[in-house]
Amino acid sequence: MVDFYARTLIDYAVVALGMAVAMFIVFQVLVRLGMKREAATGYALILPWLLGFIVWTAYPILASLYYSFTNYNVFQPPKWVGLDNYVKWLTNDRSFWPSLRLTLLYGLISLPIGLALSLGVAMLLARNVRGVGVWRTLYYLPAIIPTVATILLWRWLLGSEGLVNQIMSPLYNLIGMDKPSWFVDERYALPGLIIMSLWGVFGANTVILLAGLKNIPTHLYEAVELDGGGAWAKFRHVTLPMISPTLFYTLVLGVIAAVKTFEPGIFIKLNSLTTGTFLQVLVYGNAFAGGNSRMGYASALGWIMLIIIMVLTLLVFRSSALWVYYEGERK
Amino acid sequence: MATVSTPASPKTALRMRSAGGMRMRRTVNDVITYILLVLGALLVLIPLLWMIATSLKTESELFLLPLRLFPEVPQWHNYIDVWRIQPFTQFFMNTIFITVLAMGGEILTCALVAYGFARFRFPGRDILFITMLGTMMLPGVVTLIPTFLIWRGFERIDTFTPLTVGALFAWGPAYIFLLRQFFLTIPREIEESATIDGANTLQTFFYVMLPLVKPALLTIAVLSFTGNWNNFQAPLIYINTPQKYPVILALYSFSESLSKEAPKWHYMMAMTVIMSLPIVALYFAAQRYFIEGLTVGAVKG
């Protein structure tokens, strides 16, 4: 019954042993070739990463670039079709543009709101409140719950007869609005997804930002007080500049994570023609789900996502000169 | 509420003329702080409570109006029922098998690589290190399809191999970075004295260096455990046979079978609780390392 465990255990042992032998051989060969022992040891030690980089990163990137110019259904060898995947398929795929819109809007809206809320909570916790540990644990809780569990929970909470609609129904009556069918109605799908993402947002970001806030020297605040500055001045001229490197870090990671969003699109059936779905789900759907696997087109979509992430990251990096303040950096 | 107050040092307190008014404002600010914190905590806690409460309800109580948080009689047997509907014992064994192998491989190889980057000088080291950090930015989706095709070439689809063996190639540049930072803080004299005592590089690594970076290893162990436990995309792509499902895929297949007419949300929520419980327990046991792992790299840069 458990021979599938044994099979993987054998694979695992073979690769582990192979890795050890490879490290030994690299060391021996380099030393024989007259390299210093220190350098040879260094190369031998980083070998697992170096091999992994070649096999699991460099080769796949180039291969997926190649596949993106082919028509490939796994069963027949890839057939070169030039730019067809990027031009013909993309214009014919009626779920691409809605999905691009959904993915980008999701990131652009939930990211800043999430960061502002996390910063708010972090600032409250930084005020020497009693039992910081307990509060921090509490606010971190949603982030520990597996993403998948969070999504299922919110699908339940945001059902048309779910808790949120029940609690809000007096408000809906007041403004004369029907109960929204979250996720089903294209008008409410995006807000629903954003609400869901915001619930877990405090977790890691708040912990990171709190640590950043604690690193701000108090004498800076005292200086503002001496100059007669109030709470806003302290925030504007001390907190914000001093926390900006940490904000920058969370923003970069957030951009990448937002474009890569996958699980909500799988667990929540979104109408890909009207609402759109997450780009990553399109890749998965084309490559692995359903009978016809379109590896070529899926690879092209993957490359489009890579380019989007690179452009967004670059924009964040470029803009950082305007708003990120590094202490010790000369202007 | 964008106020930041700092504890007044004795000097500043003396300087303040209207100390009374100041204290008054402090108290008001404190009260507002606690009110906001409690409100936020409620927003966090109510959904969680609802999850647990739902898992203890009967099917007819699910949509009962007016709303009641807790069921009339807690239906603990929901959890037993769930275990009967799907072979959760098998799923948990699968999950633990995958998680332990992947975590072990990840920790060992990342530590070796980090040690190499931290302590040994060799040509091209800095470029390789920056390349490694750069891979953190890379969206996994670009490598997804070729990686799948590699495992398909080895005929390892529908096995645990793609989920575990890759870890032996030092998965996780963030872990390497964190461990390297730790290794850098250890004085070289310690290794030198080990060498004088006749230890070779590997002995020094295993018996001297690893024990010294134990906090970092634990941090990584916790992060890697959660990462592998919660991993959804890889099992979704590689595992087809229900017998080999990790818990997360069992959750997925059950959620797919939820019907509109008779949505068994009480079972669904019981399964989510079952899936989350080990991670929450781990978090409470290893909170210190969790927090440390999150902040290293972000704040100190």
Side-chain angles (χ1 to χ4, degrees):
Chain A
M1 178 198 117
V2 287
D3 54 340
F4 49 88
Y5 288 150
R7 185 166 190 197
T8 293
L9 277 177
I10 294 169
D11 286 345
Y12 194 84
V14 167
V15 173
L17 208 70
M19 186 70 77
V21 171
M23 289 168 76
F24 181 73
I25 291 176
V26 162
F27 175 75
Q28 290 295 335
V29 168
L30 289 179
V31 170
R32 295 276 154 79
L33 288 176
M35 190 179 272
K36 272 195 206 146
R37 289 185 78 85
E38 185 188 350
T41 316
Y43 281 121
L45 284 173
I46 67 158
L47 192 70
W49 170 75
L50 200 59
L51 285 179
F53 176 72
I54 295 166
V55 178
W56 305 118
T57 305
Y59 163 73
I61 289 182
L62 296 176
S64 84
L65 183 62
Y66 165 69
Y67 291 139
S68 77
F69 294 112
T70 66
N71 194 346
Y72 187 27
N73 68 359
V74 178
F75 301 108
Q76 280 137 4
K79 206 176 102 223
W80 184 268
V81 291
L83 283 171
D84 267 14
N85 285 326
Y86 291 94
V87 180
K88 214 168 87 193
W89 273 97
L90 217 53
T91 43
N92 282 336
D93 186 349
R94 288 195 296 137
S95 41
F96 175 73
W97 294 106
S99 301
L100 182 67
R101 189 184 60 204
L102 179 87
T103 308
L104 289 180
L105 282 180
Y106 173 80
L108 287 177
I109 300 172
S110 72
L111 208 57
I113 301 179
L115 271 184
L117 287 176
S118 319
L119 183 60
V121 173
M123 281 169 58
L124 290 176
L125 292 181
R127 289 180 47 107
N128 295 319
V129 286
R130 272 162 210 264
V132 179
V134 178
W135 291 111
R136 196 173 56 183
T137 307
L138 241 166
Y139 278 99
Y140 195 69
L141 219 47
I144 324 162
I145 311 280
T147 323
V148 165
T150 311
I151 295 164
L152 287 169
L153 172 62
W154 279 92
R155 227 179 91 185
W156 168 225
L157 289 167
L158 290 176
S160 58
E161 300 299 320
L163 181 67
V164 173
N165 276 0
Q166 302 288 5
I167 291 180
M168 300 284 277
S169 68
L171 189 74
Y172 297 148
N173 289 336
L174 199 69
I175 56 174
M177 188 176 106
D178 289 334
K179 271 186 198 165
S181 346
W182 304 93
F183 303 133
V184 181
D185 190 332
E186 54 172 289
R187 282 173 301 168
Y188 297 108
L190 184 63
L193 290 169
I194 290 170
I195 291 172
M196 187 173 79
S197 80
L198 290 180
W199 184 63
V201 83
F202 300 121
N205 286 346
T206 298
V207 171
I208 293 170
L209 289 169
L210 179 61
L213 287 175
K214 287 285 181 192
N215 270 5
I216 301 176
T218 45
H219 67 81
L220 293 177
Y221 291 115
E222 285 164 15
V224 176
E225 256 172 38
L226 277 184
D227 291 346
W232 172 249
K234 284 184 198 164
F235 176 72
R236 176 69 191 79
H237 298 294
V238 179
T239 311
L240 218 46
M242 293 300 284
I243 199 78
S244 59
T246 315
L247 273 179
F248 176 66
Y249 172 87
T250 43
L251 190 64
V252 171
L253 291 188
V255 166
I256 297 171
V259 179
K260 286 194 324 193
T261 311
F262 178 64
E263 282 93 343
I266 292 283
F267 277 85
I268 297 167
K269 293 283 168 290
L270 299 164
N271 184 342
S272 64
L273 295 181
T274 53
T275 317
T277 185
F278 291 98
L279 287 175
Q280 173 98 279
V281 177
L282 278 191
V283 176
Y284 168 77
N286 277 295
F288 303 107
N292 44 348
S293 73
R294 290 189 287 266
M295 293 287 181
Y297 179 53
S299 300
L301 285 174
W303 263 85
I304 291 171
M305 284 177 64
L306 175 67
I307 292 165
I308 291 173
I309 289 181
M310 286 196 325
V311 169
L312 289 178
T313 317
L314 203 71
L315 281 178
V316 175
F317 266 92
R318 271 293 161 86
S319 75
S320 73
L322 299 174
W323 62 275
V324 178
Y325 168 80
Y326 288 106
E327 223 179 359
E329 178 191 52
R330 271 163 205 269
K331 288 265 160 151
Chain B
M1 247 310 284
T3 53
V4 168
S5 89
T6 47
S9 68
K11 253 195 216 159
T12 19
L14 277 178
R15 239 183 263 127
M16 280 164 195
R17 280 187 207 152
S18 57
M22 201 65 192
R23 206 171 300 138
M24 185 70 185
R25 226 181 73 197
R26 277 266 144 86
T27 322
V28 171
N29 279 346
D30 277 350
V31 169
I32 295 173
T33 304
Y34 284 108
I35 290 176
L36 286 174
L37 277 176
V38 169
L39 278 179
L42 283 179
L43 285 179
V44 166
L45 280 181
I46 288 174
L48 280 180
L49 280 179
W50 194 246
M51 170 162 123
I52 295 166
T54 307
S55 78
L56 296 173
K57 284 180 178 173
T58 63
E59 192 167 348
S60 56
E61 278 176 308
L62 286 178
F63 297 103
L64 211 58
L65 284 173
L67 282 177
R68 287 187 51 178
L69 178 56
F70 286 105
E72 195 106 24
V73 185
Q75 309 289 317
W76 294 106
H77 65 82
N78 280 353
Y79 285 86
I80 301 167
D81 294 353
V82 158
W83 220 275
R84 285 218 188 95
I85 298 172
Q86 297 206 327
F88 265 95
T89 316
Q90 177 77 52
F91 297 153
F92 266 102
M93 272 164 54
N94 296 343
T95 312
I96 291 167
F97 181 80
I98 296 167
T99 305
V100 168
L101 280 193
M103 186 175 85
E106 215 161 39
I107 295 176
L108 181 64
T109 50
C110 284
L112 283 167
V113 172
Y115 187 50
F117 275 125
R119 272 302 196 260
F120 300 88
R121 264 167 303 168
F122 49 88
R125 183 182 68 174
D126 295 342
I127 291 172
L128 287 173
F129 188 68
I130 289 168
T131 310
M132 191 210 73
L133 290 182
T135 58
M136 269 201 267
M137 304 278 216
L138 202 75
V141 65
V142 194
T143 54
L144 191 67
I145 290 165
T147 307
F148 174 84
L149 293 171
I150 293 175
W151 288 119
R152 193 172 168 276
F154 285 119
E155 292 176 8
R156 289 297 187 274
I157 302 304
D158 203 25
T159 71
F160 296 136
T161 305
L163 309 178
T164 50
V165 169
L168 291 167
F169 293 83
W171 259 347
Y175 302 153
I176 300 178
F177 178 71
L178 192 147
L179 278 167
R180 176 180 166 271
Q181 300 298 89
F182 263 78
F183 280 127
L184 287 177
T185 61
I186 296 170
R188 268 179 192 279
E189 287 77 20
I190 291 180
E191 280 154 290
E192 278 158 14
S193 62
T195 315
I196 291 167
D197 289 346
N200 64 31
T201 309
L202 278 183
Q203 283 167 331
T204 314
F205 175 72
F206 280 109
Y207 297 114
V208 181
M209 296 306 274
L210 279 192
L212 285 172
V213 294
K214 217 167 104 193
L217 289 177
L218 283 169
T219 306
I220 290 171
V222 172
L223 293 177
S224 159
F225 186 93
T226 24
N228 285 301
W229 185 275
N230 295 342
N231 186 0
F232 172 67
Q233 195 176 44
L236 180 69
I237 288 170
Y238 289 109
I239 308 289
N240 308 318
T241 317
Q243 207 192 3
K244 298 175 192 169
Y245 278 0
V247 181
I248 206 157
L249 280 191
L251 232 67
Y252 175 61
S253 70
F254 189 79
S255 86
E256 289 288 276
S257 72
L258 277 182
S259 71
K260 264 212 146 64
E261 294 74 37
K264 300 200 179 303
W265 278 107
H266 51 313
Y267 286 156
M268 193 74 247
M269 287 299 113
M271 287 186 199
T272 7
V273 172
I274 290 175
M275 158 114 214
S276 315
L277 223 51
I279 296 291
V280 174
L282 178 75
Y283 171 67
F284 279 104
Q287 224 186 85
R288 207 153 69 84
Y289 302 110
F290 236 101
I291 306 289
E292 196 162 348
L294 286 170
T295 40
V296 167
V299 179
K300 281 156 199 148

